[in-house]
Amino acid sequence: MAPGKFYAVRCGYIPGIYDTWAACQQQVRGYKGSQFKSFKSRLEAEQYLSSPGSSGQAATISNVSVLESPQSSVRKRPRSRSPPETQPLSRNQEEVYQIEYDGASKRNPGPAGAGALVRAPNGSVVCELREGLGVTTNNVAEYRALILGLCGALERGIYRVRVQGDSNLVCQQIQGNWKVNDPALKVLCKEAQSLMRNFVEFSIAHVDREFNSDADRLANEAVALAETKFASSFAS
């Protein structure tokens, strides 16, 4: 944790000010409509909590453990599909899950990877996904990570999701708020939007990088896969 850093949870299980990211995570993971933000000073955090929309509650908690779950990798992309309308929805289809995604590219463009994970409503990890992308740009990697996460959820019969990532460009473009000029990104944006329409409930939000650390780890692991593949191709 950086010196003097405070995490304010405005909407979560226990709203308040927390002095570790781990403690903050425990209050927002799986909480629908969670609102939280990091600050350099406690005063700024308190002002955030007292702003309109705050519950007014306060707490200071440290050293709270974080949930851990088994890991898995999936690379196959499912075909576009919709939830069955004539059959009762399964538990997966009734609850809102969380998708976290991140893309990374060394030297931009350079060896790149995509990482994503799906969390159950209780915060546990359903699956972790990573994909080595070869040599490409960071923005392409971000889109591929989002697509990886959306496919991972659909493959498991999950149709209600909220998505978070630290690429504001992707978050804004997929919602149609920003124009997509790059031809390669246009193709990826359309693919992501097509997948998005398969969900019964969908939302996407930009978060600070520190709140996306698990997806960042997966993306960097995928970069290592891309580097190994690139090195092997070059050697041959």
Side-chain angles (χ1 to χ4, degrees), residues 72-76 127-131 148 152 155-156:
S72 63
S73 295
V74 174
R75 296 182 183 178
K76 182 179 178 182
C127 63
E128 291 190 341
L129 315 165
R130 56 186 71 76
E131 181 182 6
L148 187 66
E155 187 69 22
R156 289 161 178 78

Side-chain angles (χ1 to χ4, degrees), residues 1-2 5-7 17-21 23-24 60-63:
M1 181 182 68
K5 200 142 204 177
F6 298 88
Y7 300 88
I17 300 172
Y18 298 82
D19 58 9
T20 68
W21 168 228
C24 176
T60 301
I61 301 177
S62 61
N63 301 323

Side-chain angles (χ1 to χ4, degrees), residues 34-218:
S34 61
Q35 296 180 24
F36 53 96
K37 195 173 181 180
S38 65
F39 297 93
K40 293 182 180 179
S41 71
R42 185 179 181 84
L43 178 60
E44 291 176 312
E46 290 174 346
Q47 291 174 339
Y48 173 75
L49 286 183
S50 62
S51 63
S54 170
S55 65
Q57 297 174 312
T60 301
I61 301 177
S62 61
N63 301 323
V64 177
S65 61
V66 181
L67 292 171
E68 298 180 355
S69 297
Q71 302 177 2
S72 63
S73 295
V74 174
R75 296 182 183 178
K76 182 179 178 182
R77 295 187 183 181
R79 293 181 180 179
S80 179
R81 60 185 182 183
S82 299
E85 297 179 357
T86 58
Q87 299 178 6
L89 292 176
S90 68
R91 183 179 180 184
N92 280 3
Q93 296 165 351
E94 292 176 338
E95 298 181 310
V96 179
Y97 285 63
Q98 180 162 297
I99 298 173
E100 301 168 22
Y101 75 92
D102 195 19
S105 174
K106 287 190 176 180
R107 297 184 292 279
N108 193 29
L117 64 148
V118 180
R119 292 190 191 279
N122 65 3
S124 63
V125 176
V126 175
C127 63
E128 291 190 341
L129 315 165
R130 56 186 71 76
E131 181 182 6
L133 303 176
V135 176
T136 190
T137 65
N138 185 68
N139 286 336
V140 167
E142 292 282 2
Y143 264 109
R144 293 287 292 273
L146 171 60
I147 291 168
L148 187 66
L150 296 179
C151 288
L154 291 172
E155 187 69 22
R156 289 161 178 78
I158 296 168
Y159 295 101
R160 298 180 185 274
V161 297
R162 58 172 176 272
V163 182
Q164 70 172 51
D166 56 36
S167 171
N168 193 36
L169 178 138
V170 171
C171 291
Q172 296 297 334
Q173 287 184 342
I174 193 176
Q175 296 178 91
N177 297 330
W178 290 3
K179 186 176 180 180
V180 186
N181 295 314
D182 185 275
L185 297 188
K186 281 184 179 181
V187 174
L188 292 170
C189 185
K190 287 181 179 179
E191 182 178 354
Q193 289 173 333
S194 178
L195 289 168
M196 180 179 72
R197 287 191 284 271
N198 288 289
F199 292 92
V200 174
E201 182 176 337
F202 179 93
S203 65
I204 186 169
H206 170 251
V207 297
D208 292 338
R209 181 168 297 179
E210 64 192 284
F211 299 137
N212 209 41
S213 58
D214 288 330
D216 177 72
R217 169 180 56 80
L218 293 171

